[in-house]
Each structure stands twice: as structure tokens, then as C-alpha cells.
Amino acid sequence: MSGLVQIDLDTRALERIEADVAVAGVFADDRPLRGAAGRADWRLCGLLTQLVLDAHLDGAVGSATLVGTSGRLAAPALLAIGLGRRDAFTAAVFERATQAGIERLAALGSARAAMAPLGVPGEDVVRLVRPFLDGVVAGMGERPLALRLCVPESEESRLRREL
């Protein structure tokens, strides 16, 4: 039997949400990094960029890299999940990446996580609710998880209705 997941929406940026682990997506061909990963990289003084340059972070679908944030993000750790190439990104890839992120959170024993929609622009999150939820369910372990999903304020009410 899998654990329970509680999903809450949060309009704050990923780097501002208190959690055990923050989760951001990284495309294999985004240079410089964009979205939540780009903002986290900036706050981490280019740590993610250095990991890319050193071939420790490649962005392959489902790959994962965990780094400490040294207090530069509200969460003490950041989990970067690979999303593959941007031009090959689909709802199925989104689901697999979400599943990989949730599996890694379960393996880490995380009880509270913050996640930016992995590679999905804010206005597309509502359209991709089903692959997101399928990925969460498929990735859940035995422990409960409180997940804060970062969404734009303009999409919060629509997404709340869909969840």
C-alpha cells in the first residue's frame, strides 16, 4: 500500500517555500538553465551550472541530482530532475519526470517537499493535471508526503478546481 500525499498549491517561488527538499526540472539542452532551476542556480551562485559543466547534471529524463542549498533556498536541499531535450518534452515525459521526482523524495524519506511544475509553463499546468497526478501516484512510496506545488497566482484558482 502506498502512502498518502497531500498536495497544496503555493504562489510563491520555489526557492521561498520551506520544505525538506525543493524539486526543480532541468532540460538537457537549456543553457543557461531556466525557470525554477535557473533561479535556484542563481541563488546557489552557479552550483547547478558547474555541475552541468562537470557532467554531473545532464538533464536526461528521470535523472536526479541532489545538492545542499547552504541556506540560500528555504529548503536545505534541492533535487534537480532531468527532463530530456526541450523539443522532445511531452505529457508522457512530464509524467515520468514527476514520478522520478516523487520516487526520489520517497527514497530520501522526505515528509515535506516543494515542487515547481517540471518543465511546464505556469499556464499549461491546468492542462497537464492528469499526467502530474498519475506521476505522483506512480512514484509514491510508503510514507506520507506533503507536497507544495508552485503555481502562478493567475492559475491557482483554475488548478485548485482541477485537483
Side-chain angles (χ1 to χ4, degrees):
M1 178 177 187
S2 66
L4 296 176
V5 64
Q6 175 185 339
I7 301 172
D8 291 312
L9 304 180
D10 202 310
T11 58
R12 293 176 292 168
L14 179 69
E15 63 271 14
R16 299 190 185 283
I17 299 174
E18 291 181 5
D20 300 329
V21 181
V23 183
V26 175
F27 281 103
D29 53 347
D30 269 0
R31 304 299 177 262
L33 299 176
R34 295 195 270 180
R39 287 191 316 276
D41 187 42
W42 182 79
R43 288 182 173 266
L44 296 171
C45 301
L47 175 62
L48 297 179
T49 296
Q50 191 60 54
L51 290 171
V52 168
L53 294 172
D54 294 343
H56 295 295
L57 176 60
D58 65 6
V61 177
S63 65
T65 302
L66 182 68
V67 297
T69 66
S70 302
R72 292 187 174 112
L73 276 66
L78 173 72
L79 182 62
I81 298 293
L83 304 174
R85 296 188 53 80
R86 187 174 281 279
D87 62 0
F89 189 73
T90 63
V93 172
F94 176 55
E95 182 178 331
R96 283 198 325 262
T98 300
Q99 178 180 346
I102 298 299
E103 286 172 348
R104 295 308 197 302
L105 291 170
L108 290 167
S110 178
R112 296 179 316 141
M115 179 183 279
L118 302 175
V120 177
E123 61 275 6
D124 285 344
V125 175
V126 172
R127 182 177 62 82
L128 294 170
V129 166
R130 178 55 45 204
F132 169 74
L133 292 175
D134 289 347
V136 169
V137 169
M140 279 301 297
E142 297 297 318
R143 297 177 146 192
L145 175 65
L147 180 64
R148 298 197 75 77
L149 183 63
C150 304
V151 298
E153 194 170 329
S154 62
E155 298 298 316
E156 181 186 18
S157 62
R158 286 181 51 210
L159 189 53
R160 195 171 299 284
R161 284 191 301 269
E162 292 297 317
L163 290 173

